[in-house]
Amino acid sequence: MDGNDKIDMGEKNMKMEKGQAGYIAAQKRKLGLQALLGFGLVLLILIVGYIVTKTRVSLFTVIAVLGCLPAAKVLVEFVAILPYKTIEKKVAEEIDTKAPLLTTAYDLVITSRDKIMPVDAIVISNHTVFGYAKNPKTNPEEVAKHIKNILAENRYSKTTVKVFSEYVPFISRVEGLNSIIEVNHAADKKLERAIRKIILNISM
């Protein structure tokens, strides 16, 4: 586990939900532990079966083989999310500080038919979505287009979506959006939550 996956002990004890900062790190721990326990149980069943029956071909073997299926599924999920990193805590805290009036989501791994595109953070202000994706494997224009298309399919075609690969222009735009809401007091939280939910649905 890399440095970006380190979070406070208090956060380890809190159930992480998709969209929260630290979600990817929490999923790595959860899936890794589930896979380890799953295959450990399979091995235990095989050992007990051999001790009891003195043969490798028994009902215990059948049970162990069936037990491999859910364990293997969890392992696949663990391997899929393993390359991706949790957003740095200080970055998430700065975004929260500078965008208290906006709707946020963190630790996204956006999936399309052809690609997997990690996005560190998004902020939503009414019909505007700004994202920050520092991973060089994520094409900002491509992931923005994909999110916009998915939103359009869900009847949110008027939404503007822009993703930044650099943090400074992203946080500057975030501050601007927050200032607009602060002056106009016109945040549609129901709309923002709906958009956030749709984006989370296309994330691992």
Side-chain angles (χ1 to χ4, degrees):
M1 190 176 294
D2 53 60
N4 286 343
D5 285 340
K6 294 179 180 178
I7 55 178
D8 291 345
M9 289 301 296
E11 291 173 325
K12 285 185 179 181
N13 297 326
M14 178 180 69
K15 182 179 178 181
M16 281 284 174
E17 296 182 356
K18 188 185 291 187
Q20 289 183 308
Y23 175 76
I24 289 177
Q27 281 296 95
K28 287 181 183 180
R29 286 193 301 274
K30 173 186 171 184
L31 295 172
L33 181 59
Q34 286 180 348
L36 187 63
L37 291 175
F39 284 110
L41 182 59
V42 168
L43 182 60
L44 179 62
I45 292 172
L46 285 174
I47 292 172
V48 170
Y50 185 76
I51 292 173
V52 171
T53 64
K54 306 300 182 182
T55 177
R56 288 176 292 179
V57 182
S58 66
L59 181 60
F60 287 94
T61 304
V62 174
I63 295 172
V65 170
L66 292 175
C68 280
L69 298 178
K73 180 177 180 296
V74 172
L75 181 61
V76 168
E77 293 178 11
F78 173 72
V79 171
I81 201 170
L82 188 60
Y84 306 108
K85 299 178 181 180
T86 280
I87 188 170
E88 293 180 40
K89 184 179 179 182
K90 63 180 181 180
V91 175
E93 288 176 344
E94 182 177 22
I95 295 170
D96 285 339
T97 299
K98 295 189 175 182
L101 301 178
L102 308 183
T103 297
T104 58
Y106 300 100
D107 280 16
L108 304 174
V109 183
I110 304 296
T111 58
S112 68
R113 291 181 180 178
D114 305 314
K115 291 191 176 183
I116 298 176
M117 300 169 283
V119 176
D120 297 86
I122 63 168
V123 297
I124 307 167
S125 177
N126 295 323
H127 284 285
T128 300
V129 177
F130 285 154
Y132 168 54
K134 72 175 183 179
N135 192 311
K137 293 184 179 179
T138 299
N139 183 310
E141 290 77 20
E142 190 172 358
V143 69
K145 181 179 179 181
H146 179 57
I147 292 173
K148 186 173 178 62
N149 288 342
I150 293 298
L151 291 174
E153 290 174 6
N154 286 271
R155 300 182 181 180
Y156 295 97
S157 57
K158 295 181 180 180
T159 306
T160 298
V161 182
K162 184 172 179 58
V163 177
F164 299 84
S165 59
E166 299 293 333
Y167 182 68
V168 173
F170 164 74
I171 199 65
S172 296
R173 298 294 284 272
V174 167
E175 287 182 284
L177 282 179
N178 193 78
S179 296
I180 291 171
I181 297 300
E182 197 170 28
V183 171
N184 295 335
H185 305 288
D188 187 340
K189 289 301 176 183
K190 183 177 180 181
L191 168 66
E192 293 172 5
R193 285 193 295 268
I195 291 175
R196 183 181 189 270
K197 183 178 180 180
I198 292 168
I199 295 174
L200 291 182
N201 285 341
I202 58 171
S203 176
M204 279 188 185

